[in-house]
Amino acid sequence: MPAPRTVLLTGAAGGLGTLMRSLLPEYGYTLRLFDARPIEQEPDAITADLSDKEALRAAVRGADAILHLAGISLEAPFEKILQSNIEGTYNLYEAARREGVPRIVFASSNHAVGFTPTPRTGDPLIPVDTPHRPDTFYGLSKAFGEDLAQLYWDKHGLETVSVRIGSCFPEPTSVRMLSLWLSPADGARLFHAALTAEDVGHTIVYGSSANTRLWWDLTTARELGYEPLDDSEPYAGKLIAEQGEPTVGNPAHGYLGGHFVNDPPIWPR
């Protein structure tokens, strides 16, 4: 697929959106910013909610592709998850279908399969076709988003790459994150590959750097043209000294979703 010129970036005020606002233009993209919160020093950003169908359709109109990062990113009451992550994602797909946008890159999450046990030493990496095992209502919403993407590909020919993002921060902050860390630079490389690869249909990929302690299989991401350059291992010594080695029976190390399976962080609003 030719590199899209104009990409609608939803969730542009969030942590990941802020990182991508600075990194993706280096690949030649013109970003159209969308968020429920105003974005400082971005006077052209669209401030609207995913429930505002008219504003959403206007935002989508004329875009070559969409990078959908918007929504609640932690656990919350089901009613809030329903409105933001489930109905909001449906509204976005409907707007894209009506306006003829050919591709969406959807920010899924490891929490769509969060109750999947982590591999032990010598075990095969977790494949992308592992069954959905969401660990929270948040994870459930990401499983829904992946299935919605499949429906819109099969029924309407709208392509999606669903990226099961690990943890995209400037550096990992926990021992668990050593296995799931996605450096911001690798995040931009992965999203660029997802926006430009040919004939993706609906493709699910795991989103992380080439970590020494990797838990999941990056094959489908590499098939898009993604070449991760970073590794969390330089941070391992400091984190293990502070937090200790992974322990058997600790949900943070025993399941892909970590502490989301038993003590998830709650969305503050």
Side-chain angles (χ1 to χ4, degrees):
M1 178 177 174
R5 297 180 301 279
T6 300
V7 174
L8 176 66
L9 175 61
T10 71
L16 182 55
T18 298
L19 291 170
M20 292 305 112
R21 277 172 23 217
S22 66
L23 292 169
L24 284 177
E26 297 177 11
Y27 292 85
Y29 300 110
T30 298
L31 299 181
R32 184 182 298 170
L33 308 180
F34 182 101
D35 202 285
R37 295 175 292 166
I39 304 174
E40 292 185 7
Q41 300 179 333
E42 295 287 355
D44 295 331
I46 302 164
T47 303
D49 193 88
L50 291 172
S51 63
D52 187 338
K53 296 180 181 180
E54 291 186 7
L56 190 56
R57 186 162 178 182
V60 163
R61 189 171 297 129
D64 299 306
I66 300 168
L67 176 54
H68 182 41
L69 307 181
I72 292 172
S73 59
L74 302 172
E75 182 62 316
F78 180 74
E79 292 76 15
K80 289 187 176 182
I81 294 288
L82 176 65
Q83 179 180 13
S84 178
N85 292 18
I86 295 177
E87 292 178 352
T89 299
Y90 163 75
N91 290 341
L92 178 74
Y93 270 80
E94 266 300 283
R97 179 187 70 82
R98 290 176 179 272
E99 293 297 331
V101 178
R103 182 171 300 183
I104 295 174
V105 177
F106 169 61
S108 186
S109 171
N110 63 94
H111 299 292
V113 289
F115 266 108
T116 302
T118 57
R120 298 182 180 180
T121 303
D123 287 348
L125 297 174
I126 298 170
V128 293
D129 61 357
T130 193
H132 283 159
R133 295 185 68 175
D135 52 28
T136 46
F137 291 136
Y138 165 68
L140 181 66
S141 75
K142 296 304 182 179
F144 168 85
E146 292 181 7
D147 288 343
L148 185 74
Q150 187 67 55
L151 172 64
Y152 271 70
W153 165 242
D154 289 335
K155 193 166 187 176
H156 303 299
L158 199 170
E159 291 190 315
T160 296
V161 177
S162 293
V163 183
R164 289 179 182 162
I165 299 169
S167 300
C168 189
F169 295 100
E171 62 182 62
T173 60
S174 70
V175 173
R176 170 181 174 269
M177 204 179 293
L178 294 170
S179 299
L180 303 178
W181 182 58
L182 176 65
S183 74
D186 277 343
R189 293 182 188 102
L190 178 53
F191 290 139
H192 174 60
L195 287 164
T196 57
E198 298 287 343
D199 302 323
V200 300
H202 176 224
T203 298
I204 299 173
V205 305
Y206 287 118
S208 71
S209 293
N211 302 315
T212 298
R213 299 164 190 259
L214 192 67
W215 283 339
W216 52 29
D217 188 351
L218 294 178
T219 297
T220 55
R222 292 181 182 275
E223 288 172 349
L224 298 178
Y226 172 54
E227 290 297 335
L229 300 181
D230 296 321
D231 185 348
S232 64
E233 199 62 19
Y235 303 97
K238 179 176 181 290
L239 287 171
I240 291 172
E242 293 173 349
Q243 302 175 15
E245 291 280 359
T247 54
V248 176
N250 183 343
H253 304 139
Y255 294 98
L256 195 56
H259 61 282
F260 272 63
V261 305
N262 68 333
D263 186 24
I266 303 300
W267 187 250
R269 294 178 293 176

